Amino acid sequence: MSRAETMTGDHPLRTVILTALLMGVMLFAVVGLDYLLRADTFPVRNVSFEGEFKRVHQRQLAEAVTEQASGNFFALDLEAVRRAAEAVPWVHRSTVRRRWPDGVHIHFTEQQLAARWGDTAWVNSDGELADLRGQAGPAGLIRLDGPPGSQAEVLAQWRRLEPIVAAHALGIARLRLTPRYTWEIELNNNLLLVAGRGAPERKLARFIGVYRHTVAGQAARIRHVDLRYTNGFAVEWNARAAGAPATEINEG
């Protein structure tokens, strides 16, 4: 038999051997993976938390993640654990990681509320709506209102306006962006200012600059002040329904 004939005859045998070895490796891998991912193999035994428990209750957080943070250590769905943690009232953000050999570690931050949004919602310091799941928020926060999705814009505008009135020992109790995208500012002495569209900071600063020596002493009698004038503002008095005219005040 020639050398060529010998090599040709050995080729099917080598193919069979290699195929058998490959199938054996694959079978071993499948069996090993099945064993590795069984719920009773490498079970999660410990869930730890990192964060400030001021508003968040540790027991409530632990109960919320129990179902998702259980089972096999390697098969754990970290994203599902994160979603369960962030569904807890007052939890803002969370990160989840495995902690060898049998633990899950959850780091979380609490919501930092900046304002009320409408009658029932809240806005956090990042300008996001914060869902407290029916729990009460802190008292004394600024009231913001606006069209759906405008909370970040309204919060940013309040942060620009508040220092203007604070410099004159006043505060903003409510800031509203109307459906027509005009601004209304209610001061903490119940004085309502209509700023209209665009540049409310400039209009508010101009009014506050003359407020003390114009209408400060009569704030309780004013229905609202219209700041939509180039060089002044108009005052509408509470008695307007009884015939009192609006008063225009020129600033300069």
Side-chain angles (χ1 to χ4, degrees):
M1 184 181 294
S2 67
R3 178 180 176 83
E5 290 174 339
T6 302
M7 293 180 66
T8 303
D10 289 345
H11 181 71
L13 180 60
R14 288 201 305 270
T15 301
V16 170
I17 293 172
L18 289 175
T19 302
L21 287 174
L22 181 60
M23 292 180 64
V25 170
M26 293 177 61
L27 179 61
F28 178 80
V30 170
V31 171
L33 185 61
D34 177 70
Y35 172 77
L36 192 66
L37 298 181
R38 288 178 185 172
D40 57 349
T41 306
F42 299 105
V44 174
R45 301 183 187 278
N46 176 57
V47 180
S48 58
F49 301 99
E50 180 182 355
E52 291 188 284
F53 286 99
K54 293 181 178 178
R55 299 278 187 173
V56 176
H57 299 290
Q58 184 169 353
R59 180 177 178 180
Q60 186 178 17
L61 182 56
E63 290 175 348
V65 302
T66 294
E67 181 178 353
Q68 302 296 339
S70 61
N72 185 276
F73 177 80
F74 296 103
L76 193 67
D77 186 343
L78 299 183
E79 178 63 19
V81 178
R82 183 193 65 79
R83 290 195 300 268
E86 292 184 3
V88 174
W90 288 99
V91 173
H92 181 208
R93 295 279 188 269
S94 67
T95 55
V96 183
R97 61 184 177 87
R98 296 177 179 86
R99 176 171 283 179
W100 180 260
D102 58 2
V104 177
H105 185 70
I106 301 174
H107 177 272
F108 71 92
T109 56
E110 290 193 346
Q111 291 281 8
Q112 302 297 318
L113 300 186
R116 290 181 58 190
W117 183 254
D119 293 325
T120 58
W122 305 87
V123 179
N124 65 25
S125 57
D126 294 329
E128 304 165 333
L129 288 182
D131 186 357
L132 302 185
R133 274 78 179 181
Q135 293 193 9
L141 294 181
I142 173 74
R143 163 75 180 265
L144 305 178
D145 293 276
S150 66
Q151 66 275 354
E153 178 185 0
V154 181
L155 178 65
Q157 187 63 265
W158 169 68
R159 286 171 170 165
R160 291 189 290 267
L161 296 174
E162 179 66 21
I164 297 174
V165 298
H168 295 266
L170 291 169
I172 297 176
R174 181 180 180 183
L175 177 64
R176 178 173 181 250
L177 182 61
T178 71
R180 300 182 66 180
Y181 282 82
T182 61
W183 293 100
E184 295 180 354
I185 307 162
E186 183 180 331
L187 301 181
N188 57 359
N189 61 358
N190 297 319
L191 187 61
L192 178 62
L193 310 177
V194 179
R197 296 174 181 266
E201 305 100 306
R202 178 178 56 81
K203 298 171 186 176
L204 179 61
R206 188 179 63 196
F207 170 74
I208 291 296
V210 299
Y211 167 74
R212 293 294 179 191
H213 59 269
T214 53
V215 298
Q218 305 178 76
R221 297 178 51 223
I222 297 174
R223 177 173 295 175
H224 71 256
V225 177
D226 191 339
L227 305 182
R228 295 172 294 179
Y229 289 79
T230 303
N231 297 312
F233 56 88
V235 178
E236 183 172 329
W237 305 94
N238 287 328
R240 180 173 173 77
T247 301
E248 293 188 16
I249 299 178
N250 194 306
E251 298 169 0

